[in-house]
Amino acid sequence: MSVETHLDGLARSLAALRTQAPRLTRWGGVLARRLGDGGRLLAAGNGGSAAEAQHLTAELVGRFRDDRRPFSAIALCAETSSVTAIGNDYGYDQVFARQVTAHARPNDVVVLLSTSGRSANLLEAAAAGREAGAHVWAMTGPAPNPLADAVDEVLALPGEPSNVQEAQLVAVHALCAAFEAALPSGLRSAS
């Protein structure tokens, strides 16, 4: 594949993402309300999607653009001792679900990232999040896919896995921008 072909594919994925701007704006508002009320965000993914899950939580605990207070966000894939212990004792399909069961509460949001939408451990995490009463979102590649069907809301993008993953990083940043824009002024201070 040539560089031009790769970039053309990314342009198609980003064009589809642009149509999802209202969803990302709404998700940002939901996150601002839920995290502002003391809820937390739990995020997970595999491989490159794990890195994007960590990126999302880092932006919420740290900051995206604005200097503001930190919010509770945990990348379940970064909990290496939990991931390896759960994988050893219960199987890899349970590495995120068991953590979601331990941490998720009804005011929380669970975000699952996948280019395929077929990872068994994310499907199990979605079920655990819904069982806990958390709001479960997914960012996936082309729908239909099992994860899109297992969550409350999905942002599904067309394209090759690498292009979907690149567009998902843009979606993560757009979500963070929408989150910070939706924060009430009292939650925007750094103290």
Side-chain angles (χ1 to χ4, degrees), residues 84-183:
T84 57
I86 295 166
N88 186 62
D89 294 345
Y90 297 96
Y92 195 69
D93 289 357
Q94 295 300 311
V95 296
F96 302 134
R98 195 149 176 94
Q99 292 183 78
V100 169
T101 299
H103 298 299
R105 303 295 178 261
N107 197 40
D108 295 343
V109 176
V110 176
V111 177
L112 305 171
L113 295 105
S114 173
T115 58
S116 71
R118 290 172 170 47
S119 300
N121 58 3
L122 296 177
L123 293 168
E124 293 291 333
R130 293 186 81 183
E131 178 69 24
H135 201 69
V136 183
W137 300 335
M139 293 186 190
T140 74
N145 64 66
L147 187 57
D149 295 335
V151 297
D152 297 309
E153 293 188 63
V154 64
L155 190 155
L157 297 173
E160 294 296 318
S162 60
N163 295 140
V164 168
Q165 193 165 75
E166 291 158 344
Q168 285 177 347
L169 178 57
V170 176
V172 163
H173 284 163
L175 176 59
C176 291
F179 166 77
E180 287 188 350
L183 285 172

Coordinates of all heavy atoms in Angstrom, one line a residue, residues 84-183:
T84 N -2.8 -9.3 34.4 CA -2.1 -10.6 34.4 C -2.6 -11.5 35.4 O -2.7 -12.7 35.1 CB -0.6 -10.4 34.6 OG1 -0.3 -9.7 35.8 CG2 0.0 -9.6 33.4
A85 N -3.0 -11.1 36.6 CA -3.6 -12.0 37.6 C -4.9 -12.5 37.1 O -5.2 -13.7 37.2 CB -3.7 -11.2 38.9
I86 N -5.8 -11.6 36.6 CA -7.1 -12.0 36.2 C -7.0 -13.0 35.0 O -7.7 -14.0 34.9 CB -8.0 -10.8 35.9 CG1 -8.3 -10.0 37.1 CG2 -9.3 -11.2 35.2 CD1 -8.8 -8.6 36.9
G87 N -6.1 -12.6 34.0 CA -5.9 -13.4 32.9 C -5.4 -14.8 33.3 O -5.9 -15.8 32.7
N88 N -4.5 -14.9 34.3 CA -4.0 -16.2 34.7 C -5.1 -17.0 35.5 O -5.2 -18.2 35.2 CB -2.8 -16.0 35.7 CG -2.2 -17.3 36.1 OD1 -1.7 -18.0 35.3 ND2 -2.2 -17.5 37.4
D89 N -5.9 -16.3 36.3 CA -6.9 -17.0 37.1 C -8.2 -17.3 36.5 O -8.9 -18.3 36.8 CB -7.1 -16.3 38.4 CG -5.9 -16.2 39.3 OD1 -4.9 -17.0 39.1 OD2 -5.8 -15.3 40.3
Y90 N -8.6 -16.4 35.6 CA -10.0 -16.4 35.0 C -10.0 -16.5 33.5 O -11.1 -16.7 32.9 CB -10.8 -15.2 35.5 CG -11.0 -15.2 37.0 CD1 -10.2 -14.4 37.8 CD2 -12.0 -15.9 37.6 CE1 -10.3 -14.4 39.1 CE2 -12.2 -15.9 38.9 CZ -11.3 -15.1 39.7 OH -11.5 -15.1 41.1
G91 N -8.9 -16.3 32.8 CA -8.8 -16.3 31.4 C -8.8 -14.8 30.9 O -9.4 -13.9 31.5
Y92 N -8.2 -14.6 29.7 CA -8.0 -13.3 29.1 C -9.4 -12.6 28.8 O -9.5 -11.4 28.8 CB -7.1 -13.3 27.9 CG -6.6 -12.0 27.5 CD1 -5.7 -11.3 28.3 CD2 -7.1 -11.3 26.4 CE1 -5.3 -10.0 28.0 CE2 -6.6 -10.1 26.0 CZ -5.7 -9.4 26.9 OH -5.3 -8.2 26.6
D93 N -10.4 -13.4 28.6 CA -11.7 -12.8 28.3 C -12.2 -12.0 29.4 O -13.1 -11.2 29.3 CB -12.7 -13.9 27.9 CG -12.5 -14.6 26.6 OD1 -11.5 -14.1 25.8 OD2 -13.2 -15.5 26.2
Q94 N -11.7 -12.3 30.6 CA -12.3 -11.6 31.8 C -11.4 -10.5 32.4 O -11.8 -9.8 33.4 CB -12.4 -12.6 33.0 CG -13.5 -13.7 32.7 CD -14.8 -13.1 32.5 OE1 -15.3 -12.3 33.2 NE2 -15.5 -13.5 31.4
V95 N -10.3 -10.1 31.7 CA -9.4 -9.2 32.2 C -10.0 -7.8 32.4 O -9.6 -7.1 33.4 CB -8.0 -9.0 31.4 CG1 -7.3 -10.3 31.5 CG2 -8.3 -8.6 30.0
F96 N -10.9 -7.4 31.6 CA -11.6 -6.1 31.8 C -12.9 -6.2 32.5 O -13.2 -5.3 33.4 CB -11.8 -5.4 30.4 CG -10.5 -5.2 29.7 CD1 -10.4 -5.5 28.3 CD2 -9.3 -4.7 30.3 CE1 -9.3 -5.3 27.6 CE2 -8.2 -4.5 29.6 CZ -8.1 -4.8 28.2
A97 N -13.6 -7.2 32.3 CA -14.9 -7.4 32.9 C -14.8 -7.5 34.4 O -15.6 -6.8 35.2 CB -15.6 -8.7 32.4
R98 N -13.8 -8.2 34.9 CA -13.7 -8.3 36.4 C -13.3 -6.9 37.0 O -13.8 -6.6 38.1 CB -12.6 -9.3 36.7 CG -12.6 -9.7 38.2 CD -12.2 -11.2 38.3 NE -12.1 -11.5 39.7 CZ -13.1 -12.1 40.4 NH1 -14.2 -12.4 39.8 NH2 -13.0 -12.4 41.7
Q99 N -12.5 -6.1 36.3 CA -12.2 -4.8 36.8 C -13.4 -3.9 36.7 O -13.7 -3.1 37.6 CB -11.1 -4.2 36.0 CG -9.7 -4.9 36.2 CD -8.7 -4.2 35.4 OE1 -8.2 -3.1 35.8 NE2 -8.3 -4.7 34.3
V100 N -14.2 -4.0 35.6 CA -15.4 -3.2 35.5 C -16.4 -3.5 36.7 O -16.9 -2.7 37.3 CB -16.1 -3.4 34.1 CG1 -17.5 -2.8 34.1 CG2 -15.2 -2.8 33.0
T101 N -16.5 -4.8 36.9 CA -17.4 -5.2 38.0 C -16.9 -4.6 39.4 O -17.7 -4.2 40.2 CB -17.5 -6.8 38.1 OG1 -18.0 -7.3 36.9 CG2 -18.3 -7.2 39.3
A102 N -15.6 -4.6 39.5 CA -15.0 -4.0 40.8 C -15.2 -2.5 40.9 O -15.5 -2.0 42.0 CB -13.6 -4.4 40.9
H103 N -15.1 -1.8 39.8 CA -15.0 -0.4 39.9 C -16.2 0.4 39.4 O -16.5 1.5 39.9 CB -13.8 0.1 39.0 CG -12.5 -0.3 39.5 ND1 -12.0 -0.1 40.7 CD2 -11.5 -1.1 38.9 CE1 -10.8 -0.6 40.9 NE2 -10.5 -1.2 39.7
A104 N -17.0 -0.1 38.5 CA -18.1 0.6 37.9 C -19.3 0.8 38.8 O -19.7 -0.2 39.5 CB -18.5 0.0 36.6
R105 N -19.8 2.0 38.8 CA -21.0 2.3 39.5 C -22.0 3.0 38.5 O -21.7 3.4 37.4 CB -20.7 3.3 40.6 CG -19.6 2.8 41.6 CD -20.1 1.6 42.4 NE -19.0 1.1 43.3 CZ -18.2 0.1 43.1 NH1 -18.3 -0.5 41.9 NH2 -17.3 -0.3 44.0
P106 N -23.3 3.1 39.0 CA -24.3 3.6 38.0 C -24.0 5.0 37.4 O -24.5 5.3 36.4 CB -25.6 3.6 38.9 CG -25.4 2.5 39.8 CD -23.9 2.5 40.2
N107 N -23.2 5.8 38.1 CA -23.0 7.2 37.5 C -21.8 7.2 36.6 O -21.4 8.2 36.0 CB -22.8 8.2 38.6 CG -22.9 9.6 38.1 OD1 -23.8 9.9 37.3 ND2 -22.0 10.5 38.6
D108 N -21.1 6.0 36.4 CA -19.9 6.0 35.6 C -20.1 5.8 34.1 O -21.2 5.4 33.7 CB -19.0 4.8 36.2 CG -18.5 5.0 37.6 OD1 -18.6 6.2 38.1 OD2 -18.1 4.1 38.2
V109 N -19.1 6.0 33.4 CA -19.1 5.7 31.9 C -17.9 4.8 31.6 O -16.8 4.9 32.1 CB -18.9 7.0 31.1 CG1 -18.8 6.7 29.6 CG2 -20.0 8.0 31.4
V110 N -18.2 3.7 30.9 CA -17.2 2.8 30.4 C -17.1 3.0 28.9 O -18.1 3.0 28.1 CB -17.7 1.3 30.6 CG1 -16.7 0.3 30.1 CG2 -17.9 1.1 32.1
V111 N -15.8 3.3 28.5 CA -15.5 3.5 27.0 C -14.6 2.3 26.6 O -13.6 2.1 27.1 CB -14.8 4.8 26.8 CG1 -14.5 5.0 25.3 CG2 -15.7 6.0 27.2
L112 N -15.1 1.6 25.5 CA -14.3 0.5 25.0 C -13.9 0.8 23.6 O -14.7 1.2 22.8 CB -15.2 -0.8 25.1 CG -15.8 -1.1 26.5 CD1 -16.8 -2.2 26.4 CD2 -14.6 -1.4 27.4
L113 N -12.6 0.7 23.3 CA -12.1 1.0 22.0 C -11.6 -0.3 21.3 O -10.9 -1.1 21.8 CB -10.9 2.0 22.1 CG -11.3 3.3 22.7 CD1 -10.8 3.5 24.1 CD2 -10.7 4.4 21.8
S114 N -12.1 -0.4 20.0 CA -11.7 -1.6 19.2 C -11.8 -1.3 17.7 O -12.8 -0.6 17.3 CB -12.7 -2.7 19.6 OG -12.5 -3.8 18.7
T115 N -10.9 -1.7 17.0 CA -11.0 -1.5 15.5 C -11.9 -2.5 14.9 O -12.5 -2.3 13.9 CB -9.6 -1.5 14.8 OG1 -8.9 -2.7 15.1 CG2 -8.8 -0.3 15.3
S116 N -12.0 -3.7 15.5 CA -12.8 -4.8 14.9 C -14.2 -4.9 15.6 O -15.1 -5.3 14.9 CB -12.1 -6.2 15.1 OG -12.1 -6.5 16.5
G117 N -14.3 -4.6 16.9 CA -15.5 -4.8 17.6 C -15.8 -6.2 17.9 O -16.9 -6.6 18.2
R118 N -14.8 -7.1 17.9 CA -15.0 -8.5 18.0 C -14.2 -9.1 19.2 O -14.2 -10.3 19.4 CB -14.6 -9.2 16.8 CG -15.6 -9.0 15.6 CD -15.1 -9.6 14.3 NE -16.1 -9.5 13.3 CZ -16.9 -8.5 12.9 NH1 -16.9 -7.4 13.5 NH2 -17.7 -8.6 11.9
S119 N -13.5 -8.3 20.0 CA -12.6 -8.8 21.1 C -13.5 -9.3 22.2 O -14.3 -8.6 22.8 CB -11.7 -7.7 21.6 OG -10.9 -7.3 20.5
A120 N -13.3 -10.6 22.5 CA -14.1 -11.2 23.6 C -14.0 -10.5 24.9 O -15.0 -10.3 25.6 CB -13.8 -12.7 23.7
N121 N -12.8 -10.0 25.3 CA -12.6 -9.3 26.5 C -13.4 -8.0 26.6 O -13.9 -7.6 27.7 CB -11.2 -9.2 26.9 CG -10.4 -8.4 25.9 OD1 -10.9 -7.9 24.9 ND2 -9.1 -8.3 26.2
L122 N -13.6 -7.3 25.5 CA -14.3 -6.1 25.5 C -15.8 -6.4 25.5 O -16.6 -5.6 26.1 CB -14.0 -5.2 24.2 CG -12.5 -4.8 24.2 CD1 -12.2 -4.0 22.9 CD2 -12.2 -3.9 25.4
L123 N -16.2 -7.4 24.8 CA -17.6 -7.9 24.9 C -18.0 -8.2 26.4 O -19.1 -7.8 26.8 CB -17.9 -9.0 24.0 CG -17.8 -8.7 22.5 CD1 -17.8 -10.0 21.7 CD2 -18.9 -7.8 22.0
E124 N -17.2 -8.9 27.0 CA -17.4 -9.2 28.5 C -17.4 -8.0 29.3 O -18.3 -7.8 30.2 CB -16.4 -10.2 29.0 CG -16.4 -11.6 28.3 CD -17.7 -12.4 28.7 OE1 -18.2 -12.2 29.8 OE2 -18.1 -13.2 27.9
A125 N -16.5 -7.0 29.0 CA -16.5 -5.7 29.8 C -17.8 -4.9 29.5 O -18.3 -4.3 30.4 CB -15.3 -4.9 29.3
A126 N -18.3 -5.0 28.3 CA -19.6 -4.3 28.0 C -20.7 -4.8 28.8 O -21.5 -4.1 29.4 CB -19.9 -4.4 26.5
A127 N -20.8 -6.2 28.9 CA -21.8 -6.8 29.7 C -21.7 -6.5 31.1 O -22.7 -6.2 31.8 CB -21.8 -8.3 29.5
A128 N -20.5 -6.5 31.6 CA -20.2 -6.1 33.1 C -20.6 -4.7 33.3 O -21.2 -4.4 34.4 CB -18.8 -6.4 33.4
G129 N -20.3 -3.8 32.4 CA -20.6 -2.4 32.6 C -22.1 -2.1 32.6 O -22.7 -1.4 33.5
R130 N -22.8 -2.8 31.7 CA -24.3 -2.6 31.7 C -24.9 -3.3 33.0 O -25.8 -2.7 33.5 CB -24.8 -3.3 30.4 CG -24.4 -2.4 29.2 CD -25.0 -2.9 27.9 NE -26.3 -2.3 27.9 CZ -27.1 -2.5 26.9 NH1 -26.8 -3.3 25.9 NH2 -28.3 -1.9 26.8
E131 N -24.3 -4.4 33.4 CA -24.8 -5.0 34.7 C -24.6 -4.1 35.9 O -25.5 -4.1 36.8 CB -24.1 -6.4 34.9 CG -24.5 -7.1 36.1 CD -25.9 -7.6 36.2 OE1 -26.4 -7.9 35.1 OE2 -26.4 -7.8 37.3
A132 N -23.5 -3.3 35.9 CA -23.2 -2.4 37.0 C -24.1 -1.1 36.9 O -24.1 -0.4 37.8 CB -21.8 -2.1 37.0
G133 N -24.8 -0.9 35.8 CA -25.6 0.3 35.6 C -24.8 1.4 35.1 O -25.3 2.6 35.0
A134 N -23.6 1.2 34.6 CA -22.8 2.3 34.0 C -23.3 2.5 32.6 O -23.9 1.6 32.0 CB -21.3 1.9 34.0
H135 N -23.0 3.7 32.0 CA -23.3 3.9 30.7 C -22.1 3.4 29.8 O -21.0 3.8 30.1 CB -23.5 5.5 30.5 CG -24.3 5.8 29.3 ND1 -25.6 5.5 29.2 CD2 -23.9 6.4 28.1 CE1 -26.1 6.0 28.0 NE2 -25.0 6.5 27.3
V136 N -22.4 2.6 28.9 CA -21.3 1.9 28.1 C -21.3 2.4 26.7 O -22.3 2.3 26.0 CB -21.4 0.4 28.2 CG1 -20.3 -0.3 27.5 CG2 -21.5 -0.1 29.6
W137 N -20.1 3.0 26.3 CA -19.9 3.4 24.9 C -18.8 2.6 24.3 O -17.9 2.2 25.0 CB -19.5 4.9 24.9 CG -20.5 5.9 25.5 CD1 -21.8 5.7 25.6 CD2 -20.1 7.1 26.0 NE1 -22.3 6.8 26.2 CE2 -21.3 7.7 26.5 CE3 -18.9 7.9 26.2 CZ2 -21.4 9.0 27.1 CZ3 -19.0 9.1 26.8 CH2 -20.2 9.7 27.2
A138 N -18.8 2.6 23.0 CA -17.7 1.9 22.2 C -17.4 2.8 21.0 O -18.2 3.5 20.4 CB -18.1 0.5 21.7
M139 N -16.1 2.8 20.7 CA -15.6 3.3 19.5 C -15.1 2.1 18.7 O -14.1 1.4 19.2 CB -14.5 4.3 19.7 CG -14.9 5.6 20.4 SD -13.6 6.8 20.4 CE -14.3 8.0 21.5
T140 N -15.6 1.8 17.6 CA -15.3 0.6 16.8 C -15.0 1.0 15.3 O -15.3 2.1 14.9 CB -16.4 -0.4 16.9 OG1 -17.5 0.0 16.0 CG2 -16.9 -0.7 18.3
G141 N -14.6 -0.1 14.7 CA -14.5 0.0 13.2 C -15.9 -0.2 12.6 O -16.9 -0.1 13.3
P142 N -15.9 -0.7 11.4 CA -17.2 -0.7 10.7 C -18.3 -1.6 11.4 O -18.0 -2.6 12.0 CB -16.9 -1.4 9.4 CG -15.4 -1.1 9.2 CD -14.8 -1.1 10.5
A143 N -19.5 -1.1 11.4 CA -20.6 -1.8 12.0 C -21.3 -2.5 10.8 O -21.2 -2.0 9.6 CB -21.6 -0.9 12.7
P144 N -22.0 -3.6 11.0 CA -22.3 -4.2 12.3 C -21.1 -4.9 12.8 O -20.3 -5.5 12.1 CB -23.5 -5.1 12.0 CG -23.3 -5.5 10.6 CD -22.7 -4.3 9.9
N145 N -21.0 -5.0 14.2 CA -20.1 -5.8 14.8 C -20.6 -6.1 16.2 O -21.5 -5.4 16.7 CB -18.7 -5.2 14.9 CG -18.6 -3.9 15.7 OD1 -18.8 -3.9 16.9 ND2 -18.4 -2.8 15.0
P146 N -20.1 -7.2 16.9 CA -20.7 -7.6 18.1 C -20.6 -6.5 19.2 O -21.5 -6.4 20.0 CB -19.9 -8.8 18.5 CG -19.4 -9.4 17.2 CD -19.2 -8.2 16.4
L147 N -19.5 -5.8 19.3 CA -19.4 -4.8 20.3 C -20.4 -3.6 20.1 O -21.0 -3.1 21.1 CB -18.0 -4.2 20.4 CG -17.6 -3.3 21.5 CD1 -17.9 -3.9 22.9 CD2 -16.2 -2.8 21.5
A148 N -20.6 -3.2 18.9 CA -21.6 -2.2 18.6 C -23.0 -2.6 19.1 O -23.7 -1.8 19.6 CB -21.7 -1.9 17.1
D149 N -23.3 -3.9 19.1 CA -24.6 -4.4 19.5 C -24.6 -4.6 21.0 O -25.7 -4.7 21.6 CB -24.9 -5.7 18.9 CG -25.1 -5.6 17.4 OD1 -25.4 -4.5 16.9 OD2 -24.8 -6.6 16.7
A150 N -23.5 -4.6 21.7 CA -23.4 -4.9 23.1 C -23.4 -3.7 24.0 O -23.5 -3.8 25.3 CB -22.2 -5.7 23.4
V151 N -23.3 -2.5 23.5 CA -23.2 -1.2 24.3 C -24.4 -0.3 24.1 O -25.3 -0.6 23.3 CB -21.9 -0.5 23.8 CG1 -20.6 -1.3 24.1 CG2 -22.0 0.0 22.4
D152 N -24.4 0.7 25.0 CA -25.5 1.6 24.9 C -25.4 2.5 23.7 O -26.5 2.9 23.1 CB -25.5 2.5 26.2 CG -25.8 1.7 27.4 OD1 -26.8 0.9 27.5 OD2 -25.0 1.8 28.4
E153 N -24.2 3.0 23.4 CA -24.0 3.8 22.2 C -22.7 3.5 21.5 O -21.7 3.1 22.2 CB -24.0 5.3 22.6 CG -25.3 5.8 23.1 CD -25.3 7.3 23.3 OE1 -25.1 8.0 22.2 OE2 -25.5 7.7 24.4
V154 N -22.6 3.6 20.2 CA -21.4 3.3 19.5 C -21.1 4.4 18.5 O -22.0 5.0 17.9 CB -21.5 2.0 18.8 CG1 -22.6 2.0 17.7 CG2 -20.2 1.5 18.2
L155 N -19.8 4.7 18.4 CA -19.3 5.5 17.3 C -18.5 4.5 16.4 O -17.4 4.1 16.8 CB -18.4 6.6 17.9 CG -17.9 7.7 16.9 CD1 -17.6 8.9 17.7 CD2 -16.7 7.2 16.1
A156 N -19.1 4.1 15.3 CA -18.5 3.1 14.4 C -18.0 3.8 13.2 O -18.7 4.6 12.6 CB -19.5 2.0 14.0
L157 N -16.8 3.6 12.8 CA -16.2 4.3 11.7 C -15.8 3.3 10.6 O -15.3 2.2 10.9 CB -14.9 5.0 12.1 CG -15.2 6.2 13.1 CD1 -13.8 6.7 13.6 CD2 -16.0 7.2 12.5
P158 N -15.9 3.6 9.4 CA -15.5 2.7 8.3 C -14.0 2.8 8.0 O -13.4 3.8 8.4 CB -16.3 3.3 7.1 CG -16.3 4.8 7.4 CD -16.5 4.9 8.9
G159 N -13.4 1.8 7.4 CA -12.0 1.9 7.0 C -11.2 0.7 7.5 O -11.7 -0.2 8.2
E160 N -10.0 0.7 7.0 CA -9.0 -0.3 7.4 C -8.7 -0.1 8.9 O -8.8 1.0 9.4 CB -7.8 -0.2 6.6 CG -7.9 -0.5 5.1 CD -8.4 -1.9 4.9 OE1 -7.8 -2.9 5.6 OE2 -9.2 -2.2 4.1
P161 N -8.3 -1.2 9.6 CA -8.1 -1.0 11.0 C -7.1 0.1 11.4 O -7.3 0.9 12.3 CB -7.5 -2.4 11.4 CG -8.1 -3.3 10.5 CD -8.2 -2.6 9.2
S162 N -6.0 0.3 10.6 CA -5.1 1.4 11.0 C -5.7 2.7 10.8 O -5.5 3.6 11.6 CB -3.8 1.3 10.1 OG -4.2 1.4 8.7
N163 N -6.6 2.9 9.8 CA -7.2 4.2 9.6 C -8.3 4.4 10.6 O -8.5 5.6 11.1 CB -7.9 4.3 8.2 CG -6.9 4.3 7.1 OD1 -7.1 3.6 6.0 ND2 -5.8 5.0 7.2
V164 N -9.0 3.4 11.0 CA -10.0 3.5 12.1 C -9.3 3.9 13.4 O -9.7 4.8 14.1 CB -10.8 2.2 12.3 CG1 -11.6 2.2 13.6 CG2 -11.7 1.9 11.1
Q165 N -8.2 3.3 13.7 CA -7.5 3.6 14.9 C -6.9 5.1 14.9 O -7.0 5.8 15.9 CB -6.3 2.6 15.1 CG -5.7 2.7 16.5 CD -4.9 1.5 16.7 OE1 -3.8 1.4 16.2 NE2 -5.4 0.5 17.5
E166 N -6.5 5.5 13.8 CA -6.0 6.9 13.7 C -7.2 7.9 13.9 O -7.1 8.9 14.6 CB -5.3 7.1 12.3 CG -4.0 6.4 12.2 CD -3.6 6.2 10.7 OE1 -4.5 6.3 9.8 OE2 -2.4 5.8 10.5
A167 N -8.3 7.6 13.3 CA -9.5 8.4 13.4 C -10.0 8.4 14.9 O -10.5 9.4 15.4 CB -10.6 8.0 12.4
Q168 N -9.9 7.2 15.5 CA -10.3 7.1 16.9 C -9.5 8.1 17.8 O -10.0 8.6 18.8 CB -10.2 5.7 17.4 CG -11.4 4.8 16.9 CD -11.3 3.4 17.3 OE1 -10.2 2.9 17.8 NE2 -12.4 2.7 17.1
L169 N -8.2 8.3 17.5 CA -7.4 9.2 18.3 C -8.0 10.6 18.1 O -8.1 11.4 19.1 CB -6.0 9.2 17.9 CG -5.1 10.2 18.7 CD1 -5.2 10.0 20.2 CD2 -3.6 10.1 18.2
V170 N -8.4 11.0 16.9 CA -9.0 12.3 16.7 C -10.3 12.3 17.5 O -10.6 13.4 18.1 CB -9.3 12.5 15.2 CG1 -10.0 13.8 15.0 CG2 -7.9 12.5 14.4
A171 N -11.1 11.2 17.5 CA -12.3 11.2 18.3 C -12.1 11.4 19.8 O -12.8 12.1 20.4 CB -13.1 9.9 18.0
V172 N -11.0 10.8 20.3 CA -10.7 10.9 21.7 C -10.4 12.4 22.0 O -10.9 13.0 23.0 CB -9.4 10.0 22.0 CG1 -8.8 10.5 23.3 CG2 -9.9 8.6 22.1
H173 N -9.6 13.1 21.1 CA -9.3 14.5 21.3 C -10.6 15.3 21.2 O -10.8 16.3 22.0 CB -8.3 15.0 20.4 CG -6.9 14.5 20.7 ND1 -5.8 14.6 19.9 CD2 -6.4 14.1 21.9 CE1 -4.7 14.1 20.5 NE2 -5.1 13.8 21.7
A174 N -11.4 15.0 20.3 CA -12.7 15.8 20.1 C -13.6 15.6 21.3 O -14.2 16.5 21.8 CB -13.4 15.3 18.8
L175 N -13.6 14.4 21.9 CA -14.4 14.1 23.1 C -13.9 14.9 24.2 O -14.7 15.5 25.0 CB -14.4 12.6 23.4 CG -15.1 12.1 24.6 CD1 -16.6 12.5 24.6 CD2 -14.9 10.6 24.8
C176 N -12.6 15.0 24.4 CA -12.0 15.7 25.5 C -12.3 17.2 25.3 O -12.6 17.9 26.3 CB -10.5 15.5 25.5 SG -10.0 13.8 26.1
A177 N -12.2 17.7 24.1 CA -12.6 19.1 23.8 C -14.0 19.4 24.2 O -14.4 20.4 24.9 CB -12.3 19.5 22.4
A178 N -14.9 18.5 23.8 CA -16.4 18.6 24.2 C -16.6 18.5 25.7 O -17.4 19.3 26.2 CB -17.2 17.6 23.4
F179 N -15.8 17.6 26.3 CA -15.9 17.5 27.8 C -15.5 18.8 28.5 O -16.3 19.3 29.3 CB -15.0 16.4 28.2 CG -14.7 16.3 29.7 CD1 -15.7 15.9 30.6 CD2 -13.5 16.8 30.2 CE1 -15.4 15.8 32.0 CE2 -13.3 16.7 31.6 CZ -14.2 16.3 32.4
E180 N -14.4 19.4 28.1 CA -13.9 20.6 28.7 C -14.9 21.8 28.4 O -15.1 22.6 29.3 CB -12.5 20.9 28.4 CG -11.5 20.0 29.0 CD -10.1 20.3 28.8 OE1 -9.7 21.2 28.0 OE2 -9.2 19.7 29.5
A181 N -15.4 21.8 27.2 CA -16.3 22.9 26.9 C -17.6 22.8 27.7 O -18.3 23.8 28.0 CB -16.6 22.9 25.4
A182 N -18.1 21.6 28.0 CA -19.3 21.4 28.7 C -19.2 21.5 30.3 O -20.2 21.5 31.0 CB -19.9 20.0 28.4
L183 N -18.0 21.6 30.8 CA -17.8 21.7 32.2 C -18.4 23.0 32.7 O -18.1 24.1 32.2 CB -16.3 21.6 32.6 CG -15.7 20.3 32.6 CD1 -14.2 20.4 32.8 CD2 -16.3 19.3 33.6

